[in-house]
Amino acid sequence: MSLISRGFQRRREVEASPDRVPPGQYVTNDFPVLSAGPTPRISAEEWRFRVTSERGEETTWTWEEFSALPAEAVKVDIHCVTKWSKLDTDWRGVSVDTILKGVGSSAAFATAHSYGGYTTNLPVVDLTGGKAWIAFQYGGQPLAPEHGGPARLLVPHLYFWKSAKWIHRLELRDSDRPGFWESLGYHGYGDPWKEQRYAGD
Amino acid sequence: MERTALRGRLTWLEAEVVQLVQETARVKTIVFRVPGWTGHLPGQHVDIRLTAEDGYQAQRSYSIANANNNEHVALTVEAVENGEVSPYLVDELVAGDRIELRGPIGGYFVWEPSLGGPLQLIAGGSGLVPLMAMIRSQMSYASPVRTNLVASARSWEELIYRDELEKLSRERDDFDVVYTLTRSQPHGWNGYGRRIDKDLLAASTFAVEEAPLIFVCGPTGFVETAAAIMLELGHQPGGIKTERFGPSGG
């Protein structure tokens, strides 16, 4: 039973059908930026993307090689733990299924590592089956550095801190290990529909 | 990257308004007494939850403005035009009202004594709030680290905490503040009157050799600019912590 706030009432118009907006979220048309430190500036020439398997095998893509992979258009709703949701966002990216096709792995967990040192952990099943992408375009334009460019992970069914900006490496692991925010009190999994914002939610 | 772990599950607590302070025309500090509050570090924030008679709920996050002080949590809130939660907090709440709150949240954009100093704070607009919590904490310690604040505001009237900042800078050798007023300046103003740039920050912040801990908070554009300039001046990326206030729903 929640405490009633004297005199409080809904002021926002109903922006979307309730099945589009998870509990505790509100819809915004902006694209707020949240990062813990300065924005890394990575040129296409120096950019590398690596996948390391649980056995230590490594696959690396240059920007040119990555750009040659089949990409797809993705229109999804995104949900930030800081309470905003943004509906129908347009991305272009390479499916993680495509990335993992040539990688021999049966690992159950992954840690995404970013330029700048950020990390986040996810189960591999949340990265596969058409649920996650390495995105390099937003709104038809190259992904801006403050939004994670040249390329970021896009995992729209989880809170957006799981969609690591400036992704550099996907580490496939046999065991789960908390990433940056997950070590700082945020939830290990982060399902917006279950409102898993903080540890214990 | 240093980390400070949060412990335990964050439950919703009842917070009672005990004091309201008008900071500027559209900004108020609301002091709550929160039975069960376990304390906080400067830089952390809380979630608040409002519930209407019909069951409609809204949640938002706000930075904590005060140093850790028993059961007291102070939030400084700017009423966002056409917002839903912030105008309620600023215009409706009176002493004795109760809302729900949980926290503290965030363990990265924080300062604690083990991190040392000196402390370089760079604030744009209401981004000053979590940095003020750091300043207030410093000033309550027996041996504070040297602290320097660059505060950017649109005008003197819109600068929050200005009397307290003026008093601290007069009375304390270990605290300095540099203001820049970007839209209008009082008659006879001899401080900066422009948006932050490389010359301004080079002249107003600790040198690279002093290895300051740098905290930047403000709107996205401000934070992007300030963080990029501090990198350009030679500071290490790992020594620059940022918190960005998106221009979102309020």
Side-chain angles (χ1 to χ4, degrees), chain A residues 6 30 35 37 39 195 198 200, chain B residues 9 47 59 88 97 244 247:
Chain A
R6 180 195 56 79
D30 304 322
S35 340
T39 297
E195 214 175 349
Y198 312 117
Chain B
R9 176 156 184 257
D47 282 1
Q59 289 186 38
Y88 175 82
D97 279 343
R244 303 157 206 238

Side-chain angles (χ1 to χ4, degrees), chain A residues 31 86 89-92 136-144 147:
Chain A
F31 195 165
K86 192 169 172 60
T89 58
D90 284 305
W91 304 83
R92 191 166 179 78
F136 56 90
Q137 276 185 19
Y138 173 75
Q141 301 292 320
L143 188 57
H147 288 303

Side-chain angles (χ1 to χ4, degrees), chain B residues 144-214:
Chain B
V145 298
R146 283 181 303 139
T147 300
N148 177 286
L149 167 69
V150 176
S152 174
R154 284 185 290 243
S155 66
W156 187 246
E157 292 71 32
E158 288 181 72
L159 177 66
I160 53 176
Y161 313 134
R162 55 180 186 265
D163 294 345
E164 187 177 350
L165 292 172
E166 283 292 271
K167 185 166 185 288
L168 283 174
S169 71
R170 271 198 312 272
E171 293 176 357
R172 307 280 303 221
D173 293 336
D174 45 17
F175 176 72
D176 283 309
V177 56
V178 174
Y179 307 107
T180 184
L181 303 176
T182 58
R183 289 209 188 149
S184 67
Q185 302 82 31
H187 185 71
W189 176 252
N190 56 11
Y192 290 107
R194 61 179 200 259
R195 285 170 175 243
I196 52 160
D197 55 34
K198 193 175 175 185
D199 289 343
L200 192 158
L201 288 182
S204 315
T205 58
F206 287 115
V208 172
E209 299 72 49
E210 303 234 39
L213 294 168
I214 302 165

